[in-house]
Amino acid sequence: MSSLAVTFALSVGTASGFLWTDIGPKKALVCELNLLETCVTQLPPSARRQLPTRLNDLHYLLGQRGAMVLPLRHDHIAGLVITDYEQLPRSQTINWGVGHFSLPLKQQAQLTYWHELGHLYAIDALSRQGQTITSPYQHEWLADLYLVWRIALETQSLDLAWQQYHRRNLAVMADSEFISHWSVPVLAQVLAHYSLEQLNQFDSFNDFWRDISPRLVLHDKDTLNEFSSLMQRTFGAGTVQPLPGYIYWRKATLGEYLTPTLVEVMGQTAAADWLSSQQMTAE
C-alpha cells in the first residue's frame, strides 16, 4: 500500500478511534469526534490538562467543520487533531450577479487531515528558526503551504493544490468573512515559482519552509482588508453594477488572484469578459 493510501486509511478512521502521527520530533494524537472521550485518555496528564474540562466544549468549537487542531505546549506532544469527516462539503459554490457556479471537491477527508497537520508542522518549522506564529491568518496560510507540499509529495500532481486554491477563492467570494482563510496570495506564489519536480526535491516541510520563507511577499492586514472590501462589494448579495473607482488600486492584483478560479468555473471567454467589465485586468 502506498504512503498516500496508508495515510488516508488512518485519517478517515481506525478501529480504536485514534492514532498517533509524527510531527517533527513530537507526536500528535488524532481523535474521531464520536470517540473523543476515550481517545483523549491516551494523552499524558500534563497534556490532557490543557484541554477544556468539559469535552463538549470541543464539540462546540469544531462546529460544522470536518476537523480542527489544538496545539499543545508539551515536550513530546505537538497537539490534538479532532476529525468529523461527515461534515465535509462535497462542493464549493457561489451565486452572484452573473450566475451560480459550483466546484466539486475531491478527497476532502485527506486534504482536511493534511491541512490540520500543517498547523502543527508550521509551528515546528518556525520554531527551528526561533520564530513563532503571530496571527490566525498566518496559521491558515502556513497550513495550506504545508498542504501543497504534501499534495505534491503524496499524489505526484498539483491538481489538488489547484483545487485548494480555487476553493479558497470561491469561499471568500461567497462570504468575505473567509478572508481569514484566504491563502491564495501565498498559494499563487508557490504555484507560480515551484514545479512538481521542485517541490519533490524537499524531503521535509522544514526544508521547503527554509527555501520559500525568504522569497514570500506577504500582504499586511490593511491590504487584506482592502481585498476583503473589494470582494464584498463585487460579489455581495444584490451587487450587480461595477464601481470602477472602488479600491481601484487593488483591482488588477485581485484579478490576477481570481483569474485561474474564474476560468475553472466559467470558462476562458466568460472569465475574461467578466474581469474586463470589472476593470480587473492589467492595463
Side-chain angles (χ1 to χ4, degrees), residues 106-125:
K106 302 174 182 177
Q107 294 183 229
Q108 277 303 285
Q110 182 66 82
L111 300 187
T112 298
Y113 177 64
W114 286 339
H115 173 85
E116 298 305 328
L117 293 186
H119 285 287
L120 301 178
Y121 273 100
I123 292 172
D124 175 65

Side-chain angles (χ1 to χ4, degrees), residues 146-161:
Y146 171 83
L147 176 62
V148 170
W149 172 79
R150 188 72 183 262
I151 286 170
L153 178 72
E154 299 283 4
T155 71
Q156 293 301 300
S157 167
L158 292 177
D159 289 351
L160 292 175

Side-chain angles (χ1 to χ4, degrees), residues 27-245:
K27 292 185 178 297
L29 179 63
V30 184
C31 295
E32 296 175 14
L33 181 64
N34 62 344
L35 295 171
L36 183 59
E37 290 191 12
T38 301
C39 181
V40 297
T41 62
Q42 304 300 314
L43 291 170
S46 55
R48 173 67 179 84
R49 283 193 292 268
Q50 297 180 43
L51 303 179
T53 304
R54 290 169 44 87
L55 290 181
N56 280 341
D57 291 345
L58 296 178
H59 289 246
Y60 174 78
L61 289 172
L62 183 62
Q64 300 300 309
R65 292 178 291 168
M68 66 177 287
V69 64
L70 295 170
L72 299 174
R73 298 179 300 278
H74 193 274
D75 290 342
H76 307 293
I77 310 298
L80 171 69
V81 178
I82 304 172
T83 66
D84 185 15
Y85 295 125
E86 295 299 321
Q87 299 292 336
L88 291 172
R90 297 182 179 179
S91 64
Q92 184 73 53
T93 62
I94 180 174
N95 184 25
W96 89 98
V98 297
H100 177 87
F101 303 95
S102 181
L103 177 76
L105 298 176
K106 302 174 182 177
Q107 294 183 229
Q108 277 303 285
Q110 182 66 82
L111 300 187
T112 298
Y113 177 64
W114 286 339
H115 173 85
E116 298 305 328
L117 293 186
H119 285 287
L120 301 178
Y121 273 100
I123 292 172
D124 175 65
L126 267 68
S127 69
R128 293 169 187 256
Q129 298 183 1
Q131 301 172 347
T132 58
I133 298 173
T134 58
S135 72
Y137 177 68
Q138 184 186 15
H139 239 305
E140 292 302 329
W141 64 253
L142 280 165
D144 270 358
L145 195 65
Y146 171 83
L147 176 62
V148 170
W149 172 79
R150 188 72 183 262
I151 286 170
L153 178 72
E154 299 283 4
T155 71
Q156 293 301 300
S157 167
L158 292 177
D159 289 351
L160 292 175
W162 278 108
Q163 175 180 286
Q164 187 74 356
Y165 181 103
H166 300 324
R167 182 187 182 190
R168 293 305 192 201
N169 265 339
L170 291 172
V172 77
M173 288 160 64
D175 186 344
S176 60
E177 289 188 5
F178 282 98
I179 195 74
S180 62
H181 286 61
W182 191 52
S183 57
V184 166
V186 172
L187 298 187
Q189 295 176 67
V190 179
L191 293 168
H193 298 302
Y194 290 85
S195 66
L196 175 64
E197 291 73 22
Q198 288 171 320
L199 289 171
N200 278 323
Q201 291 175 4
F202 301 108
D203 294 330
S204 69
F205 177 68
N206 185 51
D207 291 340
F208 177 43
W209 173 246
R210 284 202 305 267
D211 189 77
I212 193 175
S213 55
R215 308 181 185 193
L216 285 176
V217 178
L218 303 173
H219 296 307
D220 60 25
K221 185 175 181 180
D222 289 342
T223 302
L224 289 170
N225 286 340
E226 289 178 347
F227 280 125
S228 178
S229 296
L230 182 54
M231 282 187 275
Q232 185 175 20
R233 180 59 186 83
T234 303
F235 300 104
T239 299
V240 292
Q241 296 297 325
L243 288 179

